[in-house]
């Protein structure tokens, strides 16, 4: 059975202080990325619920997390996102599971940097960095075929 799976090694997360993230501000040396979209559920259970919990949909939100090898350069996107965290400024966000021609999906939005960390414990390994991104307003899905 054939599948249309995407190779994750071709995925990217891009961030920019401009109106659109595009692909120019991709996080270098990306190793892992996750985009999570969720919706809060409001409990409306009452005595009339016949012993079953009742919920209604509440507010939607999205977050992203990226892990990469640390790039110590003031021209790298990693430097821009550290500055955005310090200043509290918003950034444009782009997530593409694949940059190959067979990867037509992407998600864009406006975000704030919620956290950034750097660490390395292996004396024979590279320093790694991770960033948590909090969505601000809606996340837009785009498809092109």
């Amino acid at each position: 059975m054939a599948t249309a799976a995407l190779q994750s090694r071709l995925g990217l997360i891009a961030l920019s202080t401009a109106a659109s993230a595009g692909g120019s501000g991709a996080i270098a040396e990306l190793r892992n990325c996750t985009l999570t979209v969720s919706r809060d559920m409001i409990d409306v259970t009452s005595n009339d619920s016949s012993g079953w919990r009742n919920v209604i949909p509440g507010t939607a939100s999205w977050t992203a997390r990226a892990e990469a090898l640390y790039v110590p350069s003031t021209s790298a996107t990693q430097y821009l996102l550290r500055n955005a965290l310090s200043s509290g400024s918003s950034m444009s966000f782009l997530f593409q599971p694949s940059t190959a021609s067979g990867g037509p999906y992407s998600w864009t939005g406006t975000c704030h940097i919620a956290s950034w960390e750097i660490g390395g414990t292996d004396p024979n390994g590279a320093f790694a960095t991770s960033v948590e991104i909090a969505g601000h307003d809606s996340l837009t899905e785009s498809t092109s075929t």
Side-chain angles (χ1 to χ4, degrees), residues 8-59:
S8 63
R9 70 175 181 83
L10 299 174
L12 68 81
I13 286 183
L15 297 159
S16 172
T17 54
S20 173
S24 61
I27 296 176
E29 305 298 334
L30 187 65
R31 297 183 110 184
N32 188 13
C33 54
T34 304
L35 176 62
T36 303
V37 180
S38 61
R39 182 172 295 277
D40 295 335
M41 290 292 128
I42 301 168
D43 189 343
V44 293
T45 306
S46 70
N47 289 344
D48 295 331
S49 297
S50 301
W52 289 92
R53 182 175 177 237
N54 292 139
V55 296
I56 59 174
T59 306

Side-chain angles (χ1 to χ4, degrees), residues 43-122:
D43 189 343
V44 293
T45 306
S46 70
N47 289 344
D48 295 331
S49 297
S50 301
W52 289 92
R53 182 175 177 237
N54 292 139
V55 296
I56 59 174
T59 306
S61 63
W62 64 271
T63 59
R65 183 154 181 85
E67 297 172 2
L69 296 178
Y70 176 62
V71 177
S73 169
T74 57
S75 62
T77 300
Q78 293 179 14
Y79 180 78
L80 294 176
L81 64 89
R82 289 191 311 270
N83 283 343
L85 175 63
S86 296
S87 68
S89 60
S90 64
M91 299 186 84
S92 296
F93 170 85
L94 168 71
F95 174 73
Q96 283 182 301
S98 179
T99 56
S101 59
Y105 299 99
S106 65
W107 289 266
T108 57
T110 303
C111 66
H112 293 281
I113 306 305
S115 68
W116 175 83
E117 61 185 44
I118 183 173
T121 58
D122 181 358

